[in-house]
Amino acid sequence: MLTQPPPPTPGTPIVDDRSYTHVVDRLSRSSVRKNWSPYRDIPWDDPEFDIDPADPRWRLPDADRLSATRWYQGLSPAVQARLGLWRVTAMMQTGVQFENVLKRGLLTFARRLPAGSPAFRYAYHEVIEEANHGMMFREFATRTGLPVPGLPAVRGVLAELVPLLPWLSPELFLIFALAGEEPIDHAQRQVLREASRTHPLQVRIMRIHVAEEARHLSFARHHLRHRVPRLGRLHRTLLALAMPVVVRIVAGLVLGPPRSMNREFAIPRRVRAQAYRDPAWRAEFRAAVAGPRRLAVELGLMTPACTRLWRLLGLSDADPRKEEAR
């Protein structure tokens, strides 16, 4: 029998109304004070930002386990660079699709907020920023000239169903947002650690995205800390069960190697298995979803049954309640 989350206890981080309002107002002011425009703050036509598919700075970063395989290392430098550019472009195309889903869901989320909610203004700030990110990603993808598609799943079922989630559960919608944004943020920060050997256009785009996504992540976390402890037992039980499933599906979509790249470069199945199923890749995947995992523990959504589910789905290799307490 599934264990239901207990009622909120003194140890559950309930964010009071005053603290919540202060945080959301601060985030709104930050969006006004510090923001970027894709066509004002990125010098697309600067020769330094030209996209040459053979530029060695497009090579896969060390964080991508495919780069360590003998197959990849045996490719010519030009093919290594083109494959790396294909991977980046695929992530940008997926970003365009994911941001589109988020924008529509955020508008529904804002529509359902009570009058006077400080979250209404911030949700619209976030919609504007996500629209800028979508233009930024699409401009990059167009300028590469590569025929890279996005993800059919994001264009299809998810694109139509996810924007409806706020009608069912605004909290579940924000969990979906975190499930995509947290892993992307983790992956981009990993790449930025190698900024000196990365193409400056990619670095510029990722720095803008990471800076603004920090606000989006902060809002989602604070809203969930404010709302989830106040929900009824059944609602919290369903969230506890849904959260690891949503995180596994969405993180897998945004972090996994695109099938189009596998086809374009005829990457052997054994090489893909070596790169993306080995212990190092699994550990990196778990690190990418550490944020949602910690939040689930904070919110009291990590019941014994859900702990097993997180582990079964490969999102944790230990009891998350003990793991995150260390």
Side-chain angles (χ1 to χ4, degrees):
M1 184 175 179
L2 295 175
T3 305
Q4 291 187 332
T9 66
T12 305
I14 300 179
V15 177
D16 61 58
D17 291 344
R18 180 177 296 180
S19 298
Y20 172 74
T21 298
H22 173 75
V23 169
V24 176
D25 285 346
R26 176 173 56 80
L27 292 172
S28 290
R29 291 194 301 271
S30 177
S31 289
V32 173
R33 185 176 64 253
K34 194 171 185 180
N35 59 76
W36 291 266
S37 167
Y39 296 103
R40 179 191 66 204
D41 298 305
I42 300 178
W44 296 100
D45 297 320
D46 188 321
E48 183 184 3
F49 281 17
D50 280 349
I51 299 176
D52 176 2
D55 189 325
R57 292 174 295 183
W58 294 120
R59 290 185 71 255
L60 289 174
D62 293 340
D64 192 315
R65 299 301 299 171
L66 183 63
S67 68
T69 62
R70 289 186 178 180
W71 178 86
Y72 181 78
Q73 293 174 358
L75 300 174
S76 69
V79 175
Q80 288 182 345
R82 189 171 185 274
L83 189 153
L85 179 59
W86 190 284
R87 181 80 155 109
V88 174
T89 306
M91 291 184 70
M92 298 286 182
Q93 292 282 44
T94 300
V96 173
Q97 297 169 334
F98 190 72
E99 305 285 16
N100 179 278
V101 172
L102 283 183
K103 287 193 293 287
R104 289 185 288 138
L106 280 167
L107 289 172
T108 303
F109 171 84
R111 181 180 176 183
R112 298 195 67 246
L113 290 170
S117 171
F120 181 89
R121 174 185 167 185
Y122 181 74
Y124 271 75
H125 280 304
E126 186 168 334
V127 168
I128 293 168
E129 290 168 2
E130 299 290 20
N132 282 333
H133 297 169
M135 287 191 289
M136 180 170 67
F137 295 155
R138 178 56 61 83
E139 184 69 24
F140 176 93
T142 299
R143 286 173 178 259
T144 67
L146 298 177
V148 182
L151 291 174
V154 181
R155 291 199 306 268
V157 176
L158 288 180
E160 300 308 319
L161 295 183
V162 171
L164 301 177
L165 279 181
W167 289 106
L168 174 67
S169 169
E171 295 75 26
L172 184 57
F173 169 72
L174 291 180
I175 286 172
F176 168 85
L178 286 175
E181 291 179 333
E182 291 263 19
I184 290 172
D185 183 73
H186 175 86
Q188 292 185 337
R189 290 178 186 274
Q190 292 286 86
V191 172
L192 290 175
R193 292 191 180 101
E194 305 176 39
S196 61
R197 53 162 288 214
T198 304
H199 195 281
L201 178 56
Q202 183 182 356
V203 170
R204 182 63 175 159
I205 289 173
M206 286 188 171
R207 281 181 173 157
I208 290 173
H209 191 247
V210 164
E212 294 192 326
E213 286 297 318
R215 289 194 289 261
H216 304 173
L217 294 172
S218 179
F219 171 74
R221 293 178 192 131
H222 277 85
H223 191 84
L224 289 170
R225 289 171 183 144
H226 178 63
R227 286 291 307 150
V228 170
R230 294 171 166 82
L231 298 176
R233 183 186 291 270
L234 177 60
H235 196 162
R236 286 185 290 115
T237 297
L238 295 175
L239 285 180
L241 292 170
M243 189 169 185
V245 177
V246 171
V247 169
R248 182 63 185 86
I249 292 173
V250 179
L253 286 173
V254 300
L255 293 179
R259 292 182 181 179
S260 63
M261 185 180 77
N262 298 334
R263 292 192 299 268
E264 177 72 13
F265 296 91
I267 304 175
R269 181 176 298 179
R270 61 175 177 78
V271 173
R272 301 200 303 270
Q274 177 187 354
Y276 300 116
R277 295 180 186 172
D278 75 339
W281 170 258
R282 294 178 189 273
E284 181 62 23
F285 187 85
R286 290 193 296 271
V289 298
R293 192 172 62 233
R294 283 193 296 269
L295 186 62
V297 174
E298 283 184 50
L299 298 175
L301 301 180
M302 196 65 75
T303 66
C306 292
T307 295
R308 292 192 291 272
L309 185 55
W310 281 82
R311 294 177 66 179
L312 179 65
L313 294 174
L315 303 172
S316 174
D317 61 353
D319 185 332
R321 296 168 297 178
K322 298 177 181 178
E323 178 185 2
E324 305 305 341
R326 289 199 297 265

